[in-house]
Amino acid sequence: MDAMHRTEGLLGQLIAYPTVSADSNRGLIDWAADHLTHLGARCEVMQDDTGTKANLWATFGPEQDGGLVLSGHSDVVPAEEPNWTSDPFTMVERDDNLYGRGTCDMKGFIACVMAMAPEFAGWELKKPIHIALTYDEEVGCYGARDLVAALTQKGVRPAMALLGEPTLMRVIDGHKGCCEYTTHFHGREGHASAPDKGVNAASYATRYASKLLSLEAELRGRAPADSPFDPPWSTINIGRITAGAARNVIASQAEIEWEMRPVTPRDTVQVLAEIDRYGAELLAEMQARDPAANVLREVIGEVAGLVPEDRNRMAEIACALTGANGCDVVSFGTEAGLFQSLGTQCVVCGPGSIEQAHRADEFVARSELAACLDMLAGVQRYMV
């Protein structure tokens, strides 16, 4: 059976595991570990604290520093869109496309890697090839964070990492970070006719939101001159505000859900310092009226950006294997910045289009999978 047929069969198996982030991914991870162990890989399943989620770290070749990581996240977003034309967790073929939740984001890449694993096992590797499958990328990259922490503790230092997010096989060497927060305001309820007897959480949340908007305007004015991103500045978005019970009741609770997509880590540090200072000012006002009042910024997820590097061996190899003339940047976030924090040179390059991700009738084209398999086969010349 050739690699393409293996890939399609494996993709069907992967899609059949409904690894929505809210649920366990252990079925898929345990199956993948068994599959790779039988091929001779050294596998370690790394559980989270609940035991319901796990990363897989599998290695072919010598036990030494350096080498290459092929990384993909095992989780998918929910398939609750009403306009699916087939079962999201049963792979369907139509017009040379393969449909199902996760086909492009990003089980198509994982299927390609798993299909090439017998080849990896047969190569006389001089450097290790690692396969990393992570959990909960879609909700904050929690699995990759745990994996990177574990590798740091073990002293494992891969030289390069290729993350197979859907890029239509373009080589990506940079993306912004993504920092997500919910700020909670706890005031004191009362009748609107006596505003001084309450602490209006909605009013304080409104002032906080105004501060975020002013910070966003400042970020627009200090975009790096050489920023490759569109837009070139760090952005702040207020996605959701909830507060209160009725128009004639002083709101005792309010929440602001917001995010920042920083171009540089410096912007993250500066914005958080400024908004936390302002939050402390609001809190002092609130507690002067009710000591039980509170303002709390909750971290939902902080995903590091992928910073383009002048010298990136992984980018050179990926461009040579795909025929690309150079690298691009993208606006969506990935786990690549976490691997970069290890000192690993990273690119993002994988089959499928991000335009198909998180949508009904998600699909990946067979031609994209074939191009990915060609790239992975070409890795041999750099690893033996």
Side-chain angles (χ1 to χ4, degrees):
M1 184 184 296
D2 65 24
M4 188 63 191
H5 282 101
R6 288 201 302 270
T7 299
E8 291 185 26
L10 289 164
L11 182 54
Q13 289 179 269
L14 290 166
I15 297 303
Y17 288 101
T19 50
V20 175
S21 302
D23 302 322
S24 175
N25 73 333
R26 288 301 305 270
L28 185 153
I29 291 296
D30 292 343
W31 168 81
D34 184 66
H35 178 83
L36 294 172
T37 298
H38 277 87
L39 293 172
R42 301 183 299 280
C43 292
E44 183 176 1
V45 174
M46 304 176 181
Q47 294 186 155
D48 74 346
D49 291 339
T50 71
T52 64
K53 304 286 183 74
N55 296 317
L56 173 61
W57 180 254
T59 302
F60 292 98
E63 292 191 37
Q64 63 182 51
D65 280 344
L68 169 66
V69 181
L70 302 172
S71 181
H73 63 81
S74 64
D75 61 315
V76 297
V77 297
E80 297 173 350
E81 304 90 343
N83 51 338
W84 278 89
T85 58
S86 58
D87 179 353
F89 298 106
T90 299
M91 192 177 75
V92 173
E93 173 197 351
R94 292 196 300 272
D95 302 323
D96 233 22
N97 297 323
L98 301 173
Y99 290 80
R101 175 55 85 221
T103 45
C104 82
D105 187 17
M106 55 182 297
K107 291 179 177 179
F109 176 75
I110 294 173
C112 289
V113 171
M114 299 290 281
M116 285 298 299
E119 309 300 324
F120 302 155
W123 294 347
E124 295 293 330
L125 292 169
K126 295 180 181 177
K127 303 170 185 176
I129 292 179
H130 307 286
I131 298 172
L133 302 184
T134 61
Y135 66 87
D136 284 1
E137 186 272 349
E138 297 288 5
V139 292
C141 295
Y142 297 117
R145 286 193 231 176
D146 287 349
L147 175 62
V148 166
L151 296 180
T152 300
Q153 186 175 28
K154 294 173 183 290
V156 177
R157 293 174 293 182
M160 301 179 291
L162 190 156
L163 291 89
E165 293 277 7
T167 68
L168 289 172
M169 296 304 296
R170 292 181 301 137
V171 180
I172 305 301
D173 72 344
H175 63 71
K176 295 181 182 181
C178 183
C179 304
E180 299 178 319
Y181 308 100
T182 299
T183 304
H184 305 267
F185 299 81
H186 304 277
R188 184 173 65 200
E189 194 172 73
H191 197 281
S193 64
D196 290 343
K197 293 183 178 180
V199 179
N200 195 318
S203 295
Y204 285 99
T206 300
R207 291 167 60 184
Y208 189 96
S210 295
K211 182 64 175 180
L212 286 173
L213 293 176
S214 70
L215 289 171
E216 205 273 341
E218 291 176 18
L219 291 171
R220 285 174 177 259
R222 63 169 189 251
D226 58 350
S227 174
F229 298 105
D230 181 19
W233 56 83
S234 298
T235 60
I236 294 175
N237 180 65
I238 300 172
R240 188 167 180 261
I241 301 176
T242 58
R247 66 173 58 87
N248 61 347
V249 177
I250 297 170
S252 64
Q253 305 289 330
E255 289 184 350
I256 300 177
E257 297 179 16
W258 60 284
E259 66 153 35
M260 173 171 48
R261 295 184 182 254
V263 172
T264 68
R266 182 181 65 255
D267 284 345
T268 305
V269 172
Q270 291 178 346
V271 167
L272 293 182
E274 186 66 17
I275 197 63
D276 285 350
R277 181 194 63 76
Y278 187 70
E281 291 180 6
L282 296 180
L283 176 60
E285 286 187 33
M286 295 169 71
Q287 289 187 335
R289 301 173 66 179
D290 185 346
N294 198 14
V295 177
L296 174 66
R297 177 174 60 83
E298 177 188 6
V299 178
I300 304 303
E302 292 179 322
V303 179
L306 176 61
V307 180
E309 299 179 281
D310 291 335
R311 300 185 64 181
N312 185 335
R313 180 58 175 160
M314 184 70 254
E316 294 172 5
I317 291 173
C319 286
L321 293 177
T322 61
N325 293 322
C327 298
D328 296 322
V329 298
V330 292
S331 58
F332 61 85
T334 77
E335 297 169 330
L338 291 164
F339 283 99
Q340 191 176 53
S341 70
L342 290 170
T344 300
Q345 294 182 326
C346 302
V347 298
V348 182
C349 181
S353 168
I354 195 65
E355 297 299 323
Q356 301 304 324
H358 301 193
R359 298 178 60 179
D361 286 350
E362 178 182 346
F363 72 86
V364 65
R366 273 202 178 97
S367 59
E368 289 286 304
L369 297 177
C372 184
L373 289 169
D374 287 344
M375 174 182 68
L376 293 174
V379 164
Q380 180 179 16
R381 74 186 74 145
Y382 300 98
M383 306 300 291
V384 300

